[in-house]
Amino acid sequence: MLHLEFNSESENEGIARIVTSAYIMRFDPDMEEMEDVKTAVSEAVTNCIVHAYFDENGKIEMDISDKEQIVKIEITDHGCGIEDVDKAMEPMYTTGTDGRSGMGFSFMEAFMDELTVESEPGVGTVVKMTKKIGTGCAM
């Protein structure tokens, strides 16, 4: 298992993507699998930065583990939390006023095999994602 903790600064989203890429390389992912996982991680971390901490400094934790080529990624913030998780996961729903699309959870669902979101207002949010890597056909 890998545990990473970093500040909720936008440049750290790239670090999260790079660390995730390096971790899953041992499973010989195809390009689509790699991009799917990187995009999902990017969306989860960006949600923490923009919505959990409202662009103020906070901590984000990322845990990556695997079992039989199923990679599990958990992104945790200790920010404001989500009042209604089901509503927040609807496509186009956003609490932001910056013109963002509100598609973060939809992208995570589309690119990963499983997605669960646990949140408590005033405590924070945990996004759990899994994806089987290295299942593509060899050409």
Side-chain angles (χ1 to χ4, degrees):
M1 182 172 118
L2 173 76
H3 177 79
L4 182 65
E5 186 174 309
F6 48 92
N7 291 332
S8 61
E9 298 167 352
S10 60
E11 60 268 13
N12 289 337
E13 174 267 331
I15 292 170
R17 287 171 56 100
I18 291 168
V19 169
T20 302
S21 298
Y23 188 94
I24 68 173
M25 282 302 293
R26 65 181 145 167
F27 302 115
D28 194 26
D30 61 29
M31 289 299 290
E32 184 177 351
E33 291 169 329
M34 180 65 80
E35 289 304 314
D36 287 353
V37 173
K38 287 176 14 181
T39 299
V41 165
S42 178
E43 292 293 335
V45 170
T46 299
N47 275 356
C48 295
I49 295 166
V50 174
H51 299 291
Y53 297 115
F54 302 102
D55 292 319
E56 293 184 15
N57 204 9
K59 295 291 182 196
I60 299 171
E61 298 175 45
M62 182 170 74
D63 292 297
I64 308 174
S65 59
D66 64 89
K67 183 176 182 181
E68 299 174 8
Q69 289 186 274
I70 297 175
V71 175
K72 180 180 179 182
I73 302 169
E74 292 187 16
I75 309 288
T76 303
D77 69 64
H78 304 283
C80 66
I82 301 170
E83 189 74 37
D84 184 342
V85 172
D86 291 334
K87 182 88 171 153
M89 291 182 73
E90 291 177 6
M92 303 306 290
Y93 177 82
T94 184
T95 58
T97 59
D98 57 3
R100 293 178 186 260
S101 68
M103 294 297 291
F105 288 131
S106 296
F107 287 148
M108 288 179 243
E109 277 185 315
F111 294 138
M112 301 297 281
D113 295 333
E114 294 179 19
L115 170 70
T116 59
V117 180
E118 301 169 0
S119 190
E120 186 176 336
V123 176
T125 302
V126 180
V127 173
K128 299 177 182 181
M129 305 178 281
T130 62
K131 185 160 186 88
K132 187 160 179 89
I133 304 293
T135 60
C137 299
M139 296 192 124

